[in-house]
Each structure stands twice: as C-alpha cells, then as structure tokens.
C-alpha cells in the first residue's frame, strides 16, 4: 500500500507519514515546487541515522533528474528507507493535452474571460506571500501599455488574504488594471496555457510556467 502527500515538511505531513509507518504503508511525497541542495526539507542533510527518520517519507516523487540527484547526495546509507524516483510532473503533463475534454472546457472559459484585442499581451503575476506585493510590480503595471492585461493569482493556500491584495492594489492605484478575483479562481495550469508571461518574486510557478513554454 502507498500513501501520497505533498508538502511532507508540515505538521500534518509528519503526522501522516508516522501514521503510514505504524500501519506498514509506504509514504510518497510528491514534489510540488522548488527543492535543491539548499532546501531545508530536501537537501544538505548532514547527519542521517542508519535507521532513517520516521517523519521522512519512504519515497520522494521527483519531477526531474536534478531533484533525484539532490536526494541521492544524502540518502546513500538509507537508500532502502528514503528513496527518490523520477516520476515527472504528471499534473502539468495532463494539461498539455488540448484534446482532454476537461482542459478544452477550461480553455473555452479562460478565452471568454481574458480575451482581448489583437496584439494583447497577457501577463500573470503569482505572489506567494504578502512580501511579494512590492511597489516594483505595481509601478511596472502602471507604466505598461494599455494592451497589457495583468492577472494576479493569489496562492491557493491563502497566505495572502483577498482583502489585503485588494487594498494593496487600490493603494497603488492599479486596481482597475489587474484581474484578481477571476484569475485566482482558475487553476494555475489553466491560466499558463494562455498567458504570454509569468512573473513572480518568490513563487515556484516558474517550474510550471517552464512546462508551458
């Protein structure tokens, strides 16, 4: 049996992994963003107990060979306990299939809402935390030409409250230039199929954007 989760390095994630171990179930952490050597949850572990750790997953589902190599730098002595494998970004791959009925429905909805005149440039800004709502992005929005359509999609975990985002946009006089509510209501990948540019200060949406060119 297998138990799948994302964001294993959370209180709920740790509890889930421990519960899986108690019932003899292998836990699988599915990559959801940036990892790398400097990530506290995935790289640069200096001391690993020979028996592994009960709060680390049995398997790390990685998007690319880079993330697999990150795990292999520290798991040599516990490779049979904490093991990475290359599974790819299956969710992004699903959204690359325009023939999929679900995706075609989203394509229609996104096109209807965000369609504009010929030559329109659609730019998505993906903030993760309140600190990402910096003056530089709002100055850029104000200086951009009218045919630039700006979408601001808040993180689905709610790190930035909607009212804070609205107040900040209003404070910087760009509320009418930014589509916030509808952009936030769509899955990220549904938007990335249609936007021309993805901009972010700290979000790992850059990995998702790369999948869509």
């Amino acid at each position: 049996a297998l138990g799948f989760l994302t964001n294993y390095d959370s209180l709920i994630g740790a509890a889930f992994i421990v519960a899986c171990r108690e019932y003899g179930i292998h836990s699988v952490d599915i990559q959801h963003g940036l990892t790398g050597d400097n990530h506290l949850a995935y790289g640069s572990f200096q001391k690993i107990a020979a028996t592994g750790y009960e709060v680390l997953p049995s398997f790390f589902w990685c998007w690319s060979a880079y993330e697999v190599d990150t795990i292999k730098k520290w798991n040599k002595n516990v490779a049979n306990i904490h093991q990475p494998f290359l599974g790819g970004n299956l969710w992004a791959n699903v959204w690359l299939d325009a023939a999929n009925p679900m995706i075609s429905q989203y394509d229609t909805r996104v096109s209807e809402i965000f369609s504009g005149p010929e030559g329109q440039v659609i730019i998505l800004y993906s903030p993760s935390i309140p600190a990402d709502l910096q003056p530089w992005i709002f100055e850029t929005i104000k200086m951009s030409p009218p045919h630039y359509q700006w979408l601001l999609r808040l993180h689905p975990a709610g790190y930035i409250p909607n009212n804070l985002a609205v107040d900040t946009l209003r404070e910087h006089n760009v509320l009418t230039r930014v589509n916030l509510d509808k952009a936030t209501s769509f899955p990220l990948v549904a938007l990335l199929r249609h936007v021309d540019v993805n901009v972010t200060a700290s979000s790992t949406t850059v990995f998702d954007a790369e999948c869509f060119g």
Side-chain angles (χ1 to χ4, degrees):
L2 296 172
F4 292 87
L5 76 157
T6 59
N7 197 25
Y8 90 85
D9 56 325
S10 64
L11 187 60
I12 294 176
F16 179 85
I17 292 172
V18 170
C20 284
R21 291 194 184 283
E22 290 179 353
Y23 284 92
I25 299 172
H26 290 298
S27 56
V28 184
D29 175 65
I30 303 175
Q31 183 177 341
H32 67 285
L34 177 69
T35 64
D37 293 339
N38 296 318
H39 196 292
L40 293 177
Y42 296 96
S44 298
F45 290 176
Q46 300 297 319
K47 296 180 179 180
I48 303 296
T51 55
Y53 291 100
E54 63 176 1
V55 293
L56 287 184
S58 307
F59 298 98
F60 293 88
W61 183 308
C62 302
W63 286 348
S64 73
Y66 169 76
E67 289 85 11
V68 171
D69 291 340
T70 294
I71 306 297
K72 285 186 176 181
K73 288 178 181 179
W74 58 260
N75 83 323
K76 295 178 182 178
N77 296 327
V78 290
N80 62 327
I81 303 173
H82 307 300
Q83 180 178 345
F85 72 96
L86 179 57
N89 190 338
L90 299 186
W91 184 233
N93 290 341
V94 168
W95 285 84
L96 292 172
D97 180 13
N100 185 307
M102 176 191 71
I103 295 168
S104 62
Q105 290 179 10
Y106 269 104
D107 282 344
T108 300
R109 291 173 58 194
V110 172
S111 297
E112 290 174 349
I113 293 174
F114 302 116
S115 62
E118 185 176 354
Q120 173 183 251
V121 177
I122 303 178
I123 305 173
L124 173 65
Y125 184 62
S126 307
S128 289
I129 54 178
D132 288 347
L133 299 177
Q134 292 288 330
W136 64 265
I137 185 63
F138 304 120
E139 290 302 314
T140 302
I141 292 172
K142 283 192 285 189
M143 291 189 297
S144 64
H147 67 281
Y148 281 24
Q149 181 175 180
W150 289 86
L151 314 182
L152 192 151
R153 181 182 182 274
L154 301 179
H155 195 288
Y159 300 133
I160 303 176
N162 184 273
N163 62 321
L164 173 62
V166 170
D167 290 344
T168 305
L169 291 171
R170 184 181 290 114
E171 176 187 345
H172 290 274
N173 299 314
V174 293
L175 186 60
T176 58
R177 288 293 311 270
V178 176
N179 190 315
L180 171 65
D181 292 334
K182 291 180 179 177
T184 299
S185 69
F186 279 91
L188 171 67
V189 282
L191 297 175
L192 289 176
R193 287 179 54 80
H194 298 269
V195 303
D196 298 292
V197 181
N198 177 66
V199 180
T200 183
S202 63
S203 171
T204 57
T205 55
V206 292
F207 290 97
D208 301 281
E210 183 181 23
C211 295
F212 294 88

